[in-house]
Amino acid sequence: MYTTELQSHQDKPTAVADTEVEALTDAFEARVAADEFIEPNDWMPEAYRRTLVRQISQHAHSEVVGMLPEGNWISRAPSLRRKAVLLAKVQDEGGHGLYLYAAAETLGTSREEMIQALHSGRAKYSTIFNYPTLTWADIGAIGWLVDGAAIMNQVPLQRTSYGPYARAMVRVCKEESFHQRQGYEIMMAMANGTPEQHDMAQDALNRWWWPSLMMFGPTDDNSPNTEQSMRWRIKRETNDEIRQRFVDVTVPQADALGLKIPDAALKWNAERKQYDFGEIDWSEFWAVVKGEGPVAKERIKARVDAWKNGAWVREAAAAHAAKQNPIKKVA
Amino acid sequence: MDKASRNEWPLWEVFIRSKGGLAHKHVGSVHASDEKLAIRHARDTYTRRSEGVSIWVVQSSQITASDPAQSGPMFEPAESKIYRHPTFYKIPDNVKNI
């Protein structure tokens, strides 16, 4: 994905005059408006670069942290088939994180910096992963709702203006559908199982529904960056548009399971041909963003522990490489 | 712009042949300590669903790229030579198979 290291080959002027920046900015805006893709070594405004680094790295962190709530259940999956499926899904999430880190690195940030930002708690990731996974039905609900919401968010991003991000999204979207379908299959098994299993499925839906709706971010009138990001084609649709689409496709899926969405205000609006739904509790959302989710500390601790426990492997690999290729430059 | 630190494994560009008869195509990059691990990482990252039958990796720092800011002048010689395209030549309609 064209790399940070390519940049060092070029003798780019370090300081450009203001008038030149203006001309470059105009040319950039025109390219983006014409739906052209921007590639790593193309000139881009610093704010565009910063916004992308923030968005892509947050996205990458979300994939990586997203492995944790599900990873908890690998050893407790109810059958070998479910276990193999869950392992494959969690491995995909790791892969998605890697595609995205690589895309962010093309903008001049390093993998190490991003990982440090995550481990120190400075970096944000999707609030959804700061909720606990209490029962096996939660694994079904996550695949169905959380991955379902992620697909809604990611499909438009396949046309995002930054080439490496768009290409990573194409790859991610191809793999994501399996995640959602295996989750829904778990929900089907639970919803059609014993009364206790049915109750577990309903309970999981009750707990994951609202956090899933929050995954699309604040409402449009509370999302100050949306306008700029839409103009730069970093975002292709607003938070509320995508959230509405998610509600509209998900409600019939819940009906098919015989489960009830926990929203008294949810009602088909024949005029709009869309569902009306209740008010989201944004105070909860902002609390979780600030790291007050039920298991926020546990998540980062698990991540840091995994990193520390893997240190000897990284060191051994580096030592081996140095021994094999004493002349070859490492890094 | 921040450079990758010394502790970080070098970056490798990954190229995959999706099936026999097709050329290797760039698919992305991985960090790895050496070429063998780069191939392993590339396999796990980019071919989890039988996307390939062969992988190439090359250390990213070994790639020399043209400067996109200079792409105008760089590719101008081709732009101006339209006579390299078959449609440049007018052949009467009644002449076939040409």
Side-chain angles (χ1 to χ4, degrees):
Chain A
M1 278 188 198
Y2 281 12
T3 66
T4 43
E5 270 140 295
L6 278 181
Q7 315 253 3
S8 59
H9 284 294
Q10 288 173 13
D11 302 314
K12 284 264 168 81
T14 41
V16 255
D18 284 356
T19 46
E20 200 182 333
V21 168
E22 216 168 281
L24 287 166
T25 305
D26 289 347
F28 170 87
E29 297 270 357
R31 286 185 66 195
V32 169
D35 274 335
E36 276 184 43
F37 286 102
I38 304 302
E39 294 294 342
N41 293 324
D42 293 348
W43 189 89
M44 61 187 85
E46 271 316 300
Y48 177 83
R49 187 186 298 277
R50 264 200 317 275
T51 306
L52 274 172
V53 167
R54 195 186 59 230
Q55 183 171 331
I56 301 173
S57 63
Q58 283 178 9
H59 196 159
H61 296 324
S62 301
E63 300 282 354
V64 167
V65 176
M67 291 192 279
L68 299 170
E70 294 184 299
N72 282 343
W73 279 91
I74 291 174
S75 61
R76 292 177 286 167
S79 71
L80 190 57
R81 176 181 181 270
R82 297 284 185 206
K83 188 180 204 161
V85 167
L86 188 56
L87 260 174
K89 179 184 191 288
V90 170
Q91 196 190 8
D92 273 357
E93 307 297 1
H96 296 177
L98 293 177
Y99 308 151
L100 286 158
Y101 280 133
E105 283 172 82
T106 64
L107 291 158
T109 180
S110 74
R111 179 78 56 98
E112 199 175 34
E113 264 179 293
M114 289 186 278
I115 288 177
Q116 275 167 3
L118 175 65
H119 290 182
S120 70
R122 263 182 298 132
K124 300 248 177 297
Y125 55 86
S126 181
T127 53
I128 196 84
F129 302 117
N130 285 340
Y131 292 87
T133 41
L134 303 179
T135 76
W136 174 251
D138 289 33
I139 300 304
I142 287 179
W144 170 37
L145 300 172
V146 175
D147 288 273
I151 292 172
M152 288 284 169
N153 264 327
Q154 288 165 351
V155 164
L157 289 176
Q158 293 178 100
R159 296 179 292 118
T160 194
S161 60
Y162 188 57
Y165 191 25
R167 291 194 286 277
M169 282 300 102
V170 169
R171 204 167 266 285
V172 167
C173 286
K174 253 188 222 162
E175 299 179 348
E176 203 81 63
S177 176
F178 139 56
H179 299 177
Q180 195 189 15
R181 289 170 69 109
Q182 66 83 36
Y184 194 77
E185 195 199 59
I186 293 174
M187 292 304 275
M188 286 195 299
M190 302 287 289
N192 298 315
T194 63
E196 289 81 5
Q197 287 171 330
H198 182 93
D199 290 349
M200 280 165 74
Q202 181 63 56
D203 172 59
L205 172 56
N206 293 348
R207 283 181 290 106
W208 289 95
W209 176 252
W210 291 105
S212 298
L213 293 194
M214 294 176 198
M215 280 178 70
F216 300 97
T219 52
D220 292 349
D221 46 6
N222 263 320
S223 179
N225 299 326
T226 290
E227 198 194 331
Q228 167 101 302
S229 287
M230 296 278 284
R231 190 161 55 86
W232 278 342
R233 310 278 205 264
I234 292 176
K235 259 173 116 151
R236 305 295 318 227
E237 286 175 278
T238 72
N239 297 351
D240 286 336
E241 283 166 1
I242 309 178
R243 185 168 14 242
Q244 179 70 55
R245 188 173 319 131
F246 175 76
V247 171
D248 292 341
V249 306
T250 308
V251 172
Q253 294 169 354
D255 291 345
L257 291 169
L259 298 178
K260 198 175 169 325
I261 286 179
D263 179 359
L266 185 78
K267 210 175 86 208
W268 177 252
N269 183 325
E271 213 169 288
R272 288 199 304 133
K273 292 197 171 20
Q274 287 175 325
Y275 283 94
D276 293 333
F277 54 95
E279 194 65 31
I280 290 169
D281 178 2
W282 291 108
S283 60
E284 177 184 321
F285 174 79
W286 291 114
V288 181
V289 168
K290 283 193 214 111
E292 294 164 21
V295 289
K297 289 198 175 63
E298 194 183 313
R299 294 283 182 254
I300 291 302
K301 183 180 179 304
R303 183 57 220 145
V304 172
D305 287 349
W307 180 255
K308 282 189 186 150
N309 291 338
W312 70 272
V313 180
R314 294 191 298 277
E315 284 158 17
H320 178 74
K323 215 164 149 187
Q324 300 299 307
N325 299 308
I327 332 132
K328 212 179 234 177
K329 195 176 69 150
V330 175
Chain B
M1 228 170 285
D2 302 288
K3 283 274 139 60
S5 98
R6 267 167 204 292
N7 300 326
E8 201 164 78
W9 284 348
L11 196 62
W12 303 75
E13 297 305 311
V14 180
F15 301 81
I16 289 179
R17 186 200 299 288
S18 56
K19 60 179 184 183
L22 297 179
H24 286 76
K25 191 178 160 201
H26 183 245
V27 294
S29 35
V30 293
H31 285 276
S33 54
D34 63 23
E35 56 271 33
K36 276 189 195 146
L37 268 182
I39 295 264
R40 297 289 286 252
H41 289 176
R43 182 200 64 181
D44 293 345
T45 309
Y46 294 104
T47 65
R48 287 192 303 281
R49 287 173 178 76
S50 323
E51 288 94 338
V53 295
S54 163
I55 299 175
W56 286 352
V57 292
V58 58
Q59 210 165 325
S60 310
S61 57
Q62 298 299 310
I63 295 181
T64 307
S66 64
D67 181 356
Q70 293 301 315
S71 67
M74 175 82 173
F75 298 106
E76 188 282 331
E79 296 276 320
S80 58
K81 293 177 180 59
I82 52 170
Y83 47 82
R84 282 178 170 164
H85 296 278
T87 46
F88 178 76
Y89 305 94
K90 303 276 172 282
I91 307 286
D93 286 349
N94 59 350
V95 178
K96 301 295 179 198
N97 298 317
I98 182 163

